[in-house]
Amino acid sequence: MPSALSKLPSSPLESIDLLKSEMDSPLWENRLRELMDLAAKGDKNTWALIYQLVREADSGRLSWGFHKVLLSGLVYILSSVGDSKSYRILVNYVKSLDRPIPVGALELIADMLPTFTELDIREIFEIANHGDEFKSAFGVMALTKLTLENRLTESEKASAKEFLSTYKNEKYYLNDIIDTTLEFLSEIDHSPTDFLNELDDISK
């Protein structure tokens, strides 16, 4: 049986040191649930910790190579809150990256975006069209995920189809997910109403 959770220090940096020691232990799942609950309640110390975690990740002092469990937990905490502030923290983190992180980390963040209640789809298109292949790859991952989760309007779906049809980024192996998304969009275009109309045309 895991030991009871100790109270996190009021200092964000001291809390991060404690979380590092817990992230690979049986305590971690309970700690993550606790932080989710506190963040949802607006606990000031928890939000100070969240902002410090982002700063540490942004600076490279926390890396996905050594602190994957802790940084993944940060993503889950933000998605569990799911408000516009949490969304902005997560997207700004990716936009401010000045060094690549593992593709799996990008995929995790992109996978979580549909869980947020408020999204800036125009911004996602802008990131997908970014000149930096790495940030562009994230934008495309997010765009395909949001498309497949039916989070786009009809006009946004049309724009996504047009954009993805000509998108090229050989470095991050996105062809499969792009093809799946384009097939999904084509199936939507070929709706049951279209099929009935075709039958009517054949019968005339």
Side-chain angles (χ1 to χ4, degrees), residues 27 37 71 84-85 91 120 131 145 174 184 191 193:
L27 290 170
D37 290 342
L71 293 177
S84 58
K85 177 174 70 173
V91 172
D120 187 343
K145 189 67 178 179
L174 300 170
F184 174 79
S191 64
T193 302

Side-chain angles (χ1 to χ4, degrees), residues 106-121:
L106 287 185
E107 290 174 341
L108 172 63
I109 297 170
D111 284 349
M112 292 295 104
L113 288 186
T115 66
F116 288 86
T117 54
E118 297 180 36
L119 299 167
D120 187 343
I121 302 298

Side-chain angles (χ1 to χ4, degrees), residues 127-145:
I127 299 172
N129 200 35
H130 200 285
D132 181 286
E133 285 184 316
F134 174 71
K135 292 179 181 177
S136 175
F138 168 75
V140 169
M141 290 177 192
L143 185 59
T144 57
K145 189 67 178 179

Side-chain angles (χ1 to χ4, degrees), residues 64 72 75 93-94 101-110 138 141:
W64 285 88
S72 297
V75 175
Y93 164 65
V94 176
I101 60 175
V103 172
L106 287 185
E107 290 174 341
L108 172 63
I109 297 170
F138 168 75
M141 290 177 192

Side-chain angles (χ1 to χ4, degrees), residues 8 11 20 31 35 53 87 112 122 129 136 169 193:
L8 285 175
S11 163
K20 286 179 184 178
R31 178 67 78 187
L35 291 172
L53 283 167
Y87 168 82
M112 292 295 104
R122 184 175 64 178
N129 200 35
S136 175
N169 187 339
T193 302

